């Protein structure tokens, strides 16, 4: 007989050694009680155990029961909530804003998302729609037509969720405009027009996002000499959507002002965007000064087109290099767990 098959007598012995709650689970007489171990929950939800524990500790999304040996056990309702939260965050909702919603409200969110998905699939995929908006936006920039550009980007914001709008429309648009400005196919005035429209729209979104006072704070800016602020604004909106109390300080700030703001607001992190100029010999001293003023406990996130030119400096001051917005979201999620 296979060694893993229990005889009736061995079952009885094992049954006597279990705690009361474990005997109930073993006997199968639990209905809505917690009865599933973490390994089964990760298999059913597709979420990692690390993320599940983070949602539990940081956001109170679920409250698993514990055995006498402190092992987590999850109910059917816990698994349903995790699946609903997984789908909602995948569609652009912030876990910090929906974690404590009643399950019934999460079901309504899922139903709304299903309706929206069905409506979108009847015409074209989000990627194809994004490409269409992108072409229309570039045409408006080339035609020096700010009203048309704002209209295109506003329609895109309605058609796509916030993450798609930023990462499939705004970021590629800004990259393309920068490339065309460098090769001479677009003028400085075209670039300034696009920046002004995008800055206005991002500012509106940033103001509309509700910040929780108790949420961890991050201050975001550009250092001295860096006057291009759109990367910093994009990072601010992204951090806010991840549940951070993100504070945008504007552009072109000296190290002493950045550090002072971080101390006053008790920021858990500082974000810097570097775009142009790409090489600034005075900037290295400023960034070393910033690290000295912040101390070693406050992480510095850095990104932008100019950031690769300072790779040795980032290693020296212990800065965290961010290459894109998805990386920023992941870094912010990890930082919240520290």
């Amino acid at each position: 007989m296979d060694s893993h098959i229990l005889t009736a007598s061995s079952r009885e012995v094992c049954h006597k050694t279990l705690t009361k709650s474990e005997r109930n689970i073993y006997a199968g007489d639990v209905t809505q009680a917690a009865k599933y171990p973490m390994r089964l929950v990760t298999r059913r939800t597709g979420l990692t155990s690390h993320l599940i524990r983070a949602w539990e500790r940081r956001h109170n999304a679920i409250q698993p029961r514990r055995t006498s040996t402190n092992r987590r056990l999850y109910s059917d309702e816990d698994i349903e909530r995790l699946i609903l939260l997984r789908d909602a965050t995948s569609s652009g909702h912030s876990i910090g804003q929906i974690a404590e919603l009643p399950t019934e409200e999460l079901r309504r969110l899922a139903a709304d998302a299903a309706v929206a998905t069905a409506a979108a699939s009847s015409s074209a995929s989000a990627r194809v729609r994004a490409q269409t908006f992108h072409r229309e936006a570039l045409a408006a920039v080339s035609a020096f037509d700010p009203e048309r550009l704002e209209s295109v980007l506003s329609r895109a914001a309605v058609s796509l969720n916030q993450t798609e709008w930023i990462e499939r429309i705004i970021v590629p648009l800004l990259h393309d405009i920068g490339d065309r400005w460098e090769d001479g196919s677009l003028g400085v005035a075209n670039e300034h027009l696009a920046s002004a429209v995008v800055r206005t729209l991002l500012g509106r979104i940033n103001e509309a996002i509700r910040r929780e006072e108790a949420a961890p704070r991050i201050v975001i800016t550009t250092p001295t000499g860096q006057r291009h602020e759109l990367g910093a604004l994009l990072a601010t909106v992204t951090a806010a959507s991840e549940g951070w109390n993100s504070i945008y300080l504007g552009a072109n700030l000296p190290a002493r002002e950045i550090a002072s703001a971080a101390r006053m607001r008790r920021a858990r992190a500082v974000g810097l965007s570097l775009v142009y100029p790409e090489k600034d010999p005075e900037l290295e001293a400023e960034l070393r000064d910033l690290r000295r003023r912040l101390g070693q406990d406050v992480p510095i996130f850095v990104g932008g087109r100019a950031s690769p030119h300072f790779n040795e400096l980032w290693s020296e001051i212990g800065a965290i290099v961010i290459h894109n917005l998805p990386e920023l979201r992941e870094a912010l999620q990890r930082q919240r767990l520290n």
Side-chain angles (χ1 to χ4, degrees):
M1 179 178 291
D2 290 344
S3 60
H4 69 275
I5 299 176
L6 294 176
T7 64
S9 59
S10 62
R11 284 196 183 97
E12 182 179 355
V13 170
C14 290
H15 190 71
K16 290 177 181 179
T17 63
L18 298 174
T19 65
K20 181 178 179 181
S21 62
E22 289 172 328
R23 285 200 302 270
N24 288 340
I25 294 167
Y26 182 84
D29 58 358
V30 179
T31 55
Q32 278 295 75
K35 51 188 174 181
Y36 302 112
M38 176 67 81
R39 65 180 181 277
L40 182 59
V41 176
T42 58
R43 191 180 310 137
R44 289 196 179 184
T45 64
L47 300 169
T48 65
S49 58
H50 181 74
L51 185 58
I52 292 172
R53 292 190 186 101
W55 285 2
E56 172 195 335
R57 291 196 305 266
R58 298 287 181 176
H59 303 290
N60 199 32
I62 52 172
Q63 296 178 337
R65 292 190 180 184
R66 301 273 187 160
T67 66
S68 60
T69 57
N70 206 33
R71 186 165 61 99
R72 288 175 172 84
L73 289 175
Y74 299 82
S75 66
D76 290 311
E77 183 177 347
D78 290 332
I79 292 177
E80 181 190 8
R81 281 186 62 81
L82 287 169
I83 291 172
L84 291 169
L85 290 168
R86 176 201 67 192
D87 294 345
T89 54
S90 296
S91 65
H93 292 282
S94 166
I95 184 63
Q97 295 173 345
I98 65 172
E100 297 189 30
L101 289 177
T103 301
E104 185 58 37
E105 183 64 25
L106 291 175
R107 292 191 189 110
R108 282 196 288 271
L109 280 179
D112 292 343
V115 171
T117 300
S121 63
S122 65
S123 56
S125 68
R127 185 179 300 276
V128 171
R129 285 181 288 131
Q131 291 171 346
T132 300
F133 287 126
H134 179 76
R135 287 194 297 270
E136 292 181 10
L138 269 179
V141 173
S142 299
F144 204 78
D145 190 338
E147 290 81 10
R148 179 182 167 193
L149 176 61
E150 183 170 352
S151 174
V152 171
L153 296 181
S154 296
R155 285 191 288 111
V158 173
S159 177
L160 305 170
N161 66 46
Q162 183 176 295
T163 299
E164 290 173 334
W165 183 75
I166 289 176
E167 296 181 11
R168 293 185 177 181
I169 303 294
I170 300 302
V171 172
L173 176 66
L174 294 176
H175 283 169
D176 281 356
I177 291 171
D179 290 342
R180 296 185 184 202
W181 172 72
E182 289 182 358
D183 68 21
S185 57
L186 279 179
V188 174
N190 300 88
E191 190 269 340
H192 285 186
L193 175 148
S195 295
V197 172
V198 171
R199 185 184 302 110
T200 297
L201 294 176
L202 286 174
R204 290 175 188 167
I205 292 173
N206 188 44
E207 291 173 1
I209 297 176
R210 184 172 66 90
R211 266 78 162 178
E212 296 291 342
E213 185 61 27
R217 295 184 177 92
I218 179 171
V219 295
I220 299 176
T221 183
T222 73
T224 296
Q226 294 285 322
R227 301 178 184 276
H228 291 254
E229 63 179 325
L230 291 182
L233 263 174
L234 285 166
T236 302
V237 171
T238 297
S241 69
E242 288 298 315
W244 284 68
N245 192 334
S246 56
I247 303 163
Y248 177 56
L249 302 180
N252 190 32
L253 281 187
R256 65 178 182 277
E257 298 295 337
I258 300 172
S260 176
R263 285 194 302 271
M264 289 179 63
R265 298 311 303 270
R266 298 180 181 178
R268 283 183 55 183
V270 168
L272 301 177
S273 175
L274 288 76
V275 177
Y276 185 85
E278 294 181 345
K279 297 180 180 180
D280 182 352
E282 297 180 4
L283 187 55
E284 292 195 14
E286 273 288 299
L287 293 169
R288 289 190 182 96
D289 186 39
L290 176 61
R291 169 52 78 200
R292 181 181 61 81
R293 292 173 182 271
L294 288 175
Q296 296 299 320
D297 294 335
V298 179
I300 301 174
F301 298 113
V302 295
R305 283 193 171 191
S307 61
H309 294 277
F310 300 90
N311 281 337
E312 291 185 5
L313 177 65
W314 304 144
S315 297
E316 176 186 331
I317 67 174
I320 301 169
V321 180
I322 304 296
H323 298 95
N324 50 52
L325 292 178
E327 274 192 21
L328 176 61
R329 290 201 304 272
E330 292 177 4
L332 291 172
Q333 290 171 7
R334 288 195 301 269
Q335 183 60 31
R336 291 192 71 157
L337 300 176
N338 293 338

